[in-house]
Amino acid sequence: MIQTKRQLNFIQATGTNIKRLRVELTENDSSKACLEHLANEIFYEIFDYLDTCDVYKAFSTLNIRFQDLLFSSSYRLKLNLYSQSESILENRCRHLLIPNRHRLLSLHIRNESIIGHFFNLCTIDSSFTCLESVVLQRVEIRQLLQILFYLNSLPRLFSLTIAIDEDYYYCNLGDVYRLIFSLPTLKYNKISLATYTEELSIDVPITINAKFSSIKYFNTDYSCTLGQLSSLIRYLPNLCHLRCEHVIESETDVKKYSPLKMSHLTKMSIGCLGTDFNDFEAFMKELTSELQVLRINGSYYMGYLDADRWERLIKNRMPYLKIFYLQCDQCIDDISSDDSPHECISKFSSSFWLARKWYSELKIDRTDVTFLVYPHKKEWFDLYEYMRHDTYSNQKSIDNHYSLSQQKKDCCSTLVTLEDCSITRRFQFTADIWKPIFDAIRFTHLNISNSINISVKVLIELLRLLPNLESLKISSLSMVQSKLLSITDTKEHLSLSFSNKITKVRIDKITEKSQIQFIINLCPRMKYFDVDCILNIDLRMFISFLLTNQITRIPHLCFLCLNVPSATENTIQIITRTIELETFIDNYTIQRVENKIFLQWKLKE
């Protein structure tokens, strides 16, 4: 565990304060208990979050009680060595580590300059009976091979994390993995390299007398090919979770893979899949597993947007798959009205995907368009379930009240997200490109985030291209420039207000009354209004204005969710009095969960 200077000062101050507190309590009232009278288990739990060297420095000189705690066999040591001088390192090894090596639980060496000196001072052998985790950062291959030889004698080494500091062009991981795979009790292994540019050498041939590894969690944090990955995991018959940071194309791989039976493999994640779908599909067809979770990032390879092909692959080779994440990116400048991927994307809304509750999202930022497929996640408009928490309630009987949780969910719901203001400026000039996508895919949710300069005109154009929207989320209405519209734009605005289907609206920040009016005018069919933060607005005025307009301008509104900083029971009383005195609502429920206030009422028939 890395300790900052502030943390170390806190630890030292804690030890000093315990001593001072003991003296003060003893002088004032000997019958009162002091902090050091806490149970040993509590102190051991506190120490578990701290580096052993810091704990010894802060507590070992307080009194005999803490000395007994620190040298007890119940206390396991966690050493984090970094940038110490040779004299300090030697002192810690001779007086702390070596005498207590049977209590060492984890060892983290974070500096290449001390790795060699440490292993000259301390030989890791079978006497380190409790050592379960070793982390080596910025180690050279030559040093690592020597260290791995000694680690083989450890009876309880479960986790090994290595960051190699080596010229990538001369790095050969074959010998490293041969020694790692021979570690008798290892369950987790991660190797990292600094760069991801060239194909490195990994030669671990399977032999007749090959010794297979006990590793269950395997992480390759560097660039490798699917062929190299296949050759590595053949040594891991117990593998459960596989994580590969970057898969690259290979000029030497035959791209014909031998069968792999991985009966325990349930999770696979590839951070960046830099090979075409044909190669990945060939790899997966030879992999026999009970895969339940698959995460793939096939950036800039549009072949991964073949929904029909994915469907066949999942049905035939991954029948147990429950969680699926897919990400594909494309440069905006590469998209044209002739080669738009809308036909491929639309197929991810078929019954196969919806039955598994795997939904899609189109994310647009300054330079890229990102297409995502992921499991259904709780969206902001699902907050109705908080009403079940009866933390505060002021209720008059509500019969047959509107319930968002009881709505029939749209089986084709798809999200489109805009994440950069430049997109909104370019949007009006690229409508011909986006229109085929928006026509082919029934987008029902729009999220505009991190934008600050979207004009009303562009927003109207955007909503016009998305006629099936049911929900709208805007990070801040301050980004909507309130410039005067032309007569034609005003007519379009009014026409859009009457025709759009938006029933759920969330605004992350409201600062002016005019912004409330804008939303009321834009979304007259709104049923659910969620405001994450109200700043510089009188709460009584906000409630009164909104609910007064509810009768004539937004007659379907019946659910309000507010995030009111420092909300208290008095806040609820203010809202209650406002409703009673200034509105016509007489059948409602108010609840508060921390700073969230939920107001629901029955609509007039």
Side-chain angles (χ1 to χ4, degrees), residues 229-248:
L229 190 62
S230 175
S231 68
L232 289 175
I233 63 177
R234 290 179 188 279
Y235 278 92
L236 313 176
N238 299 308
L239 184 63
C240 298
H241 298 182
L242 173 63
R243 164 74 183 178
C244 184
E245 182 62 31
H246 192 191
V247 168
I248 59 175

Side-chain angles (χ1 to χ4, degrees), residues 46 101 105 111 153 184 188 229 232 249-250 276 319 337 343 350 366 386 403 411 458 475 504 513 518 554 592 601:
I46 295 173
R101 57 186 178 273
L105 185 67
N111 191 298
S153 62
Y188 173 86
L229 190 62
L232 289 175
E249 288 277 10
S250 173
D276 61 46
S337 56
E343 293 183 359
S350 69
R366 177 178 301 181
Y386 280 113
S403 171
C411 64
V458 172
S475 60
K504 297 175 280 288
K513 182 178 177 180
F518 175 80
I554 42 175
R592 178 174 66 89
W601 59 92

